[in-house]
Amino acid sequence: MALSKIPTNMYTDPTAAKLPSGSVIKMFYDGAIDDFANTTATGTVIEATANHRPSFVRVLGNTESQIFFDGDIHVYGDIDNDSHGYISIQVRVKRTVNGSNQTTVYNEGGIIDRAGQTRMRGHRVRFIDNPTTNAGDTLEYVVECVLNNTTNGRAMNVNNSRPSSISIMEMKI
């Protein structure tokens, strides 16, 4: 087929407004969140994204797009403590808009380690966020892990030996 026969009118206006619903407008990925931290102190908050806070500049406003957050956060109990205790944790995701107005947009938790040796586990965090923001606004997501309860000195470990990863996509509504 000659080059002159290739249709050229398919994407004459590639603006986001012309894209079909469900199209990915922009994507952010960080698969190297490996800032190891651990604690045995109840109530302690460890930020899993301490040096990798996902920052995302919105292309479209909230009436035109949504944000899909997909995180694989590696948080687990003691690796080799056989004292047969348990720990319960909370994983929270907070969002700021243009550096202010921190809002919790995800909050889930429960027992993650009970007795014996812990295997690696990731806490899957998936949600659709649609803050009332405009095109050009910067969204920043902070992932926190909180040790709610522990017995027999068991520790909460975050990003130990295996990094967490986060993907954020802006999708056309």
Side-chain angles (χ1 to χ4, degrees):
M1 173 182 278
L3 289 178
S4 62
K5 301 286 185 185
I6 296 174
T8 57
N9 62 345
M10 290 175 60
Y11 299 106
T12 55
D13 186 2
T15 60
K18 299 288 183 174
L19 294 173
S21 180
S23 296
V24 174
I25 306 293
K26 186 175 184 178
M27 182 172 178
F28 168 90
Y29 174 78
D30 190 346
I33 303 171
D34 59 359
D35 303 316
F36 169 69
N38 71 350
T39 186
T40 58
T42 301
T44 300
V45 176
I46 295 175
E47 186 181 329
T49 52
N51 294 313
H52 299 269
R53 284 186 176 177
S55 182
F56 193 85
V57 177
R58 194 163 193 170
V59 175
L60 300 175
N62 65 295
T63 61
E64 300 170 301
S65 69
Q66 301 179 78
I67 309 299
F68 175 66
F69 184 100
D70 184 14
D72 189 18
I73 309 305
H74 289 277
V75 55
Y76 47 93
D78 270 354
I79 298 168
D80 58 1
N81 183 339
D82 291 327
S83 63
H84 305 293
Y86 73 94
I87 70 167
S88 67
I89 59 105
Q90 201 77 22
V91 175
R92 298 189 289 237
V93 178
K94 296 180 177 180
R95 172 197 357 98
T96 63
V97 178
N98 297 325
S100 61
N101 301 326
Q102 193 173 77
T103 304
T104 299
V105 292
Y106 178 90
N107 191 2
E108 183 180 17
I111 294 175
I112 63 164
D113 177 32
R114 185 177 296 187
Q117 296 184 355
T118 299
R119 278 75 174 162
M120 287 290 202
R121 68 180 74 203
H123 186 85
R124 198 59 175 222
V125 175
R126 284 185 177 161
F127 62 92
I128 292 187
D129 189 23
N130 196 16
T132 305
T133 58
N134 300 311
D137 285 345
T138 300
L139 307 176
E140 183 178 67
Y141 291 90
V142 178
V143 179
E144 298 177 337
C145 301
V146 184
L147 179 57
N148 288 335
N149 196 3
T150 183
T151 62
N152 298 330
R154 296 184 74 75
M156 175 181 69
N157 292 277
V158 180
N159 297 327
N160 185 11
S161 302
R162 185 170 173 200
S164 295
S165 64
I166 293 175
S167 296
I168 302 172
M169 291 178 270
E170 182 174 4
M171 300 179 307
K172 175 89 166 112
I173 295 176

